[in-house]
Amino acid sequence: MNKWIYIVIFRMRYMLKSPANIVLLFIMPIAFSLIYGNLNFGEGSTAPPKVAIVVAQNELGQETAKLLSLNPQYDWVVTQFEEARELVAEQQVIAAVIVPDDLTVRLSEGNALFDVIVNKKVEQYIALANIVSSTSNNLYNLNGILQEIDETALIEAIRTMNNQHIVQVNEVTYGQYVAEQSSGGKEAASLTLTEESLSMNATLAIGFSIMFMMFALSGSAAIIHNERRDYTWQRLTTTPATGGSIVGGYITSFWLIGWLQFAIIMIFMSIVFGTSWGNLILLIPFVSIMILTIVAYSMMMATVVRSKKQADAVNSIIIVSTCMLGGVYWPVEIMPQFMQFIANFIPQYWMIQGLENIMLDQTSGLTSWQPWAVLCGISGAFLAIAIRQLTKEQRV
């Protein structure tokens, strides 16, 4: 055991001496956490995107414009037509919505109710187009109900809609919902509302931490190839340390370095962004399995490549491509269906899924344990290949 510990201490000191490892393990994940945390993806601290709205001069147009501008997703800037065109041309607003004076005529003829001027169809414009389209459909439906009544009744109906308070969406975590439902009776009906949800910036920060951990650990593990080539590894096997102590010491040292990185990221995001990591009793063993999977991959690659340069090149291709498919750079849901199917075979996908389940308290169903089983299977297979190669040095 003492020899095992000595190997662990030596390898950790060796890895932490490298400036490149320090950057990959600690500085880059913290930097990306700051970048994505400050972007905040529209969670309230940043101003909503601006939309210019040109209001008609008649009462119907004014009430209709008010109905549109009640949506809190956008900052509605009331302006004139020429100014609205300039704002769109200079990209100071994502689009301009024109509320025409002839709404009544358009309603009777079934034409488009609003004119929208857009320069570039950015992501925020998609939601805006849905809002404008939904408002148009609501007005057509309302006009159909009041078709036997004059324009005054339509104005009064829209005014009544404008005076109603906006009903917010109630959010609750899946775990809390299940807990409340299991209690039964009236307690389930009076479900306590929470705002606990995993933000996009937290998911990306976690994903990039996994990616940088894979780069750092795979690069460090690739040194094993040089040690085997120079017979340093073989000389270790002639010492009183057993083969199991040597391999176990290397694996443990890489695993501890990975845990050190993730612990720093957890503390940093908790203090700076107030990120909730969920149930630590589940989080700690899952992160341990996750890091072991990365270590197992790194050890396996160190035994199958022919040189450290080849290991660095192959690892770069594998890590970047699998991170793309596994949901590190963007949500898996936005990818084509066949790529979502491929993601089921990517370890990073199951790492992020497992962390999200724990952070969102979604740990009550059988599917929530799939990441655990998949990562255990992958790490076991990778370790079996690595240990088999490392314990048969007479063939090297």
Side-chain angles (χ1 to χ4, degrees):
M1 180 59 69
N2 290 338
K3 301 176 182 64
W4 186 314
I5 295 174
Y6 290 148
I7 294 173
V8 170
I9 295 174
F10 172 78
R11 294 308 312 174
M12 289 187 66
R13 290 177 60 186
Y14 183 85
M15 289 180 65
L16 293 177
K17 282 183 179 179
S18 171
N21 284 340
I22 297 296
V23 171
L24 283 174
L25 281 169
F26 308 117
I27 297 178
M28 292 301 292
I30 289 177
F32 273 76
S33 299
L34 283 172
I35 292 171
Y36 287 102
N38 288 328
L39 288 177
N40 208 27
F41 289 90
E43 292 177 5
S45 63
T46 56
K50 292 184 177 182
V51 176
I53 183 168
V54 180
V55 183
Q57 300 300 316
N58 54 48
E59 191 174 6
L60 177 59
Q62 292 173 358
E63 292 296 331
T64 302
K66 183 179 178 181
L67 182 64
L68 272 173
S69 59
L70 284 177
N71 190 289
Q73 290 180 257
Y74 299 94
D75 181 9
W76 301 86
V77 181
V78 179
T79 182
Q80 300 299 317
F81 181 77
E82 291 299 328
E83 185 180 358
R85 288 202 309 175
E86 293 178 2
L87 291 174
V88 173
E90 296 172 0
Q91 298 185 28
Q92 297 184 24
V93 295
I94 61 174
V97 180
I98 314 299
V99 182
D101 294 325
D102 58 342
L103 271 178
T104 306
V105 177
R106 295 191 181 201
L107 281 169
S108 61
E109 295 179 354
N111 296 328
L113 299 186
F114 306 109
D115 299 323
V116 179
I117 305 174
V118 59
N119 191 335
K120 293 182 178 179
K121 293 184 178 181
V122 295
E123 183 180 355
Q124 295 93 333
Y125 173 77
I126 299 175
L128 175 65
N130 291 332
I131 292 170
V132 175
S133 176
S134 176
T135 303
S136 298
N137 292 330
N138 289 337
L139 289 178
Y140 268 111
N141 293 335
L142 186 60
N143 184 64
I145 297 173
L146 303 173
Q147 60 182 348
E148 300 299 331
I149 309 176
D150 57 15
E151 182 179 324
T152 303
L154 181 59
I155 295 173
E156 288 300 324
I158 298 175
R159 182 178 291 118
T160 301
M161 295 169 63
N162 290 334
N163 292 331
Q164 298 295 323
H165 70 281
I166 299 176
V167 179
Q168 300 293 336
V169 176
N170 296 334
E171 293 183 357
V172 64
T173 64
Y174 178 77
Q176 290 170 330
Y177 175 79
V178 172
E180 291 290 345
Q181 288 291 333
S182 62
S183 63
K186 297 181 179 179
E187 294 182 5
S190 58
L191 192 61
T192 303
L193 303 181
T194 67
E195 295 180 355
E196 297 179 9
S197 59
L198 185 59
S199 59
M200 180 72 74
N201 57 321
T203 302
L204 287 173
I206 294 168
F208 278 107
S209 298
I210 293 172
M211 182 187 71
F212 291 126
M213 187 191 304
M214 294 185 71
F215 272 116
L217 294 183
S218 61
S220 299
I223 298 174
I224 296 175
H225 181 276
N226 290 345
E227 294 180 352
R228 297 170 70 216
R229 181 197 63 192
D230 299 335
Y231 290 93
T232 302
W233 184 277
Q234 289 85 340
R235 288 194 293 271
L236 277 174
T237 61
T238 63
T239 64
T242 62
S245 297
I246 298 171
V247 175
Y250 274 71
I251 293 174
T252 304
S253 61
F254 295 145
W255 182 83
L256 288 175
I257 288 292
W259 242 120
L260 179 60
Q261 181 216 29
F262 207 86
I264 291 175
I265 293 299
M266 286 176 59
I267 296 171
F268 177 81
M269 293 183 64
S270 298
I271 295 174
V272 178
F273 302 115
T275 302
S276 174
W277 292 91
N279 189 346
L280 292 180
I281 297 177
L282 294 175
L283 179 68
I284 291 174
F286 181 78
V287 172
S288 299
I289 296 172
M290 183 184 77
I291 296 173
L292 181 62
T293 303
I294 297 175
V295 171
Y297 161 79
S298 303
M299 296 287 287
M300 180 199 69
M301 290 302 299
T303 62
V304 298
V305 295
R306 297 183 178 180
S307 67
K308 188 176 184 303
K309 289 185 177 180
Q310 185 185 63
D312 293 339
V314 172
N315 282 326
S316 297
I317 296 173
I318 293 177
I319 293 173
V320 171
S321 59
T322 53
C323 283
M324 287 180 178
L325 293 171
V328 169
Y329 299 146
W330 44 69
V332 174
E333 291 75 16
I334 69 173
M335 298 192 303
Q337 196 65 37
F338 77 96
M339 295 179 70
Q340 294 186 35
F341 174 76
I342 296 175
N344 292 310
F345 302 93
I346 305 298
Q348 292 94 314
Y349 169 78
W350 295 106
M351 294 176 188
I352 294 176
Q353 288 296 311
L355 288 173
E356 287 182 351
N357 289 341
I358 295 172
M359 296 172 72
L360 293 175
D361 197 18
Q362 297 177 350
T363 55
S364 59
L366 291 176
T367 56
S368 65
W369 294 97
Q370 285 182 348
W372 299 70
V374 172
L375 292 182
C376 284
I378 293 175
S379 61
F382 286 166
L383 279 178
I385 297 173
I387 293 173
R388 182 177 183 275
Q389 292 295 111
L390 293 173
T391 54
K392 293 186 177 182
E393 291 304 321
Q394 63 272 21
R395 297 182 180 181
V396 178

